[in-house]
Amino acid sequence: MNVCSLSTTTSIIKFNNFFTPSLNHLPSQCFHLKLDNHQSFFSKISCFSSGFVPHSATSYTAENVVEDGNLEANIQLTTTTLPNSRLRLSVEVPTAVCDYCYGRVIKEIMKKTKVPGFRPGKKVPENILINYAGKQNVQKAIIESILKRTLPHAVSSVRGEALKDSIRITTKFPDMEKTYTTLNCLRYDVIVDMAPEVKWVPENGYKDLKVVVEVDSEIDAQIACEEELKRRHKVLGVLKIVTNRGLQVGDVVVLDISATTVDEETSIIQKIPSAESKGFQFDTEDGDKVLPGLLDSIIGIQRGETRTFRFEFPESWKQEHLRGVNAEFTVECKELFYRDLPKVNDYIADKLLPGCNTIEEVKNTLLERCQELEKTAKEQAADNAILDQLSKMIEVDIPQTIFEEQGRELYGAQLLQVQANTKLNEQQLAYLTSPKAVDEYLGNQKENIINIIKQNLAVGDIFNRENLQVETEELIKEVENSIAEFKRHNQEYDEDRVKEQVQELLEGAKVLEFLREHAEIQYITK
């Protein structure tokens, strides 16, 4: 939606028993009250020397007011549709309501304030009372009272559709003060993030998916089985020093590696620290997995010998700063070993795989395991391809609330992983948890976060459209398993949140199962 394309509707809402509801008794997702750029009157009042001490921070809220009768009032509410599934509610509170709140606040202050020169219970003239308590502070209390009484009604039209904790007052408090002072009414704007509407292009296109899934040749069960058998066989071997020849495929060589940039035009040479390595142990059977061209460049090298070769880092290289860089590598052979391997026969079967008596049994058992892994890997690859396709088939305006929540969850999971793998000091942890670090992550990962949100919204929409169900017994079992896992690791948890997350995971699994059954899936090898 274009930012300039706004739809506006105006309605008059009439309420009976206008001041009866309290924020504390209404759904929390509807009333996340944020008042910008002001300090609450109730926090300031404690600095008075008058002995005025409110019973609580909500001394003037509606629940403390005894109504003399029903008060009817008209609030003018203008609703404006904004981009990213947001609404702006422009609220105008009439003079009658403002006067009523003024009267109630004055009564509360008069009841709780001891003014020197006036006996307890004696009515204090309003001007003296206001001057004693502070005109500006009283005015702030009145405005807060008006807001707390009118906000629930103003947002009642979006109750159930507004996202949790997304409703916020955007009008600056000084602006509200100015309006109240000059016009004896109150105007303020409220921004609400709404549950986004998912539009499928084409409609119901998810029912006829055609998915091409790329799988790595390494997950092929037969190939993986052979590689695993070879790896286990190598573990049983003994490394022995090569003394009378150069490097051959199958050997293990220890190298010192350094690299510099090559610039033919400027002749400027710079070291590449990230490409340097001392005592690097290279298994020649890994081929070009480490660095393309390395193996061919060092075949025949002997202990103590140094060789150089040139290499241009491809644009797909994982380190961005090296992509497209021309480099010259220098390698020195420090040690050279060959493997003394036992013969592959039934005598080593139990060493290759405990419990097996023959090589044939080893091969069959490993093949069964690899077939299970291949099946799992293919299903995961298919699920990823399906989810990626779903995200491209929907149009949706993503509210900022959902974007930030999803982004922070992803960042939190990433931070936990970093903490698990690395012992962070207090300074590192403080930086990584700072608002600046989080905002940088949200900015850098914006596209990825949006893609994940679209996938989640698409899955949720399909679950509802197809009337899919999660069995209660299944949900209870998985929740119990998750809680048991938390307890096993002595981690705190919120049972309601655990149940919610398990519910989402099970719903997602049901949707993917449904889509796999109805999709045409083609697997191709990379």
Side-chain angles (χ1 to χ4, degrees), residues 132-400:
Y132 184 74
K135 183 176 181 180
Q136 188 174 8
N137 290 321
V138 173
Q139 183 171 284
K140 289 182 184 296
I142 295 168
I143 293 173
E144 287 188 1
S145 177
I146 296 170
L147 291 173
K148 289 179 180 180
R149 285 159 173 75
T150 61
L151 180 62
H153 303 285
V155 299
S156 61
S157 61
V158 296
R159 187 178 303 164
E161 300 176 59
L163 296 179
K164 184 177 181 180
D165 296 335
S166 74
I167 296 177
R168 56 206 177 275
I169 295 175
T170 57
T171 304
K172 303 300 181 183
F173 203 81
D175 294 336
M176 288 190 278
E177 286 184 297
K178 183 177 181 180
T179 302
Y180 176 74
T181 302
T182 56
L183 301 177
N184 197 28
C185 65
L186 193 67
R187 294 169 183 161
Y188 61 92
D189 288 342
V190 179
I191 296 293
V192 184
D193 286 342
M194 307 295 288
E197 180 181 353
V198 175
K199 179 181 178 181
W200 289 91
V201 182
E203 180 68 22
N204 294 326
Y206 64 86
K207 292 185 177 181
D208 189 29
L209 290 178
K210 292 180 175 59
V211 183
V212 178
V213 183
E214 287 190 348
V215 294
D216 199 308
S217 60
E218 291 182 357
I219 73 167
D220 180 89
Q222 191 62 50
I223 295 174
C225 177
E226 293 172 0
E227 289 296 320
E228 179 61 16
L229 182 60
K230 184 186 295 185
R231 186 192 67 79
R232 290 170 179 259
H233 184 216
K234 285 164 64 173
V235 170
L236 300 179
V238 178
L239 291 178
K240 294 186 176 181
I241 297 175
V242 174
T243 58
N244 55 357
R245 61 171 176 81
L247 179 70
Q248 297 176 356
V249 175
D251 291 342
V252 176
V253 60
V254 178
L255 303 170
D256 281 354
I257 304 174
S258 61
T260 59
T261 59
V262 177
D263 192 327
E264 303 290 353
E265 296 182 0
T266 63
S267 299
I268 296 176
I269 298 176
Q270 293 181 324
K271 289 185 177 182
I272 308 177
S274 59
E276 293 185 356
S277 181
K278 297 289 185 181
F280 176 71
Q281 186 170 302
F282 175 50
D283 187 341
T284 55
E285 289 189 350
D286 289 339
D288 287 341
K289 291 181 181 178
V290 176
L291 183 70
L294 174 61
L295 179 58
D296 289 341
S297 300
I298 62 174
I299 285 293
I301 196 172
Q302 297 189 22
R303 183 181 180 186
E305 183 181 350
T306 298
R307 292 188 182 181
T308 61
F309 67 95
R310 291 195 174 186
F311 173 70
E312 182 178 345
F313 289 94
E315 293 299 327
S316 59
W317 196 257
K318 61 182 179 180
Q319 294 169 295
E320 292 185 16
H321 68 284
L322 292 178
R323 292 173 184 172
V325 173
N326 287 306
E328 182 173 271
F329 281 82
T330 301
V331 293
E332 180 184 357
C333 177
K334 307 298 289 187
E335 299 288 350
L336 186 56
F337 303 95
Y338 71 94
R339 281 192 176 90
D340 186 9
L341 297 171
K343 291 183 179 181
V344 179
N345 53 39
D346 293 345
Y347 291 106
I348 66 168
D350 185 62
K351 293 181 180 179
L352 290 170
L353 189 61
C356 294
N357 298 315
T358 64
I359 290 298
E360 194 63 27
E361 190 177 353
V362 171
K363 291 180 179 179
N364 291 337
T365 304
L366 289 178
L367 182 59
E368 288 178 6
R369 293 181 182 180
C370 291
Q371 286 172 339
E372 283 296 319
L373 292 173
E374 179 184 8
K375 179 183 177 182
T376 302
K378 280 189 171 182
E379 287 181 352
Q380 184 64 60
D383 288 348
N384 290 339
I386 289 172
L387 290 171
D388 185 60
Q389 193 161 325
L390 290 180
S391 68
K392 298 174 182 176
M393 297 175 67
I394 66 169
E395 294 178 356
V396 60
D397 286 330
I398 299 174
Q400 187 67 17

Side-chain angles (χ1 to χ4, degrees), residues 471-504:
E471 297 295 333
T472 303
E473 295 79 4
E474 185 180 9
L475 176 62
I476 293 173
K477 181 181 178 181
E478 291 300 326
V479 169
E480 289 175 348
N481 290 340
S482 297
I483 290 176
E485 193 69 14
F486 278 113
K487 290 181 177 179
R488 190 167 69 86
H489 291 90
N490 295 319
Q491 293 181 334
E492 295 182 0
Y493 63 90
D494 181 332
E495 188 169 342
D496 290 336
R497 180 57 178 152
V498 171
K499 184 176 180 180
E500 181 182 331
Q501 290 177 329
V502 170
Q503 177 79 27
E504 291 173 356

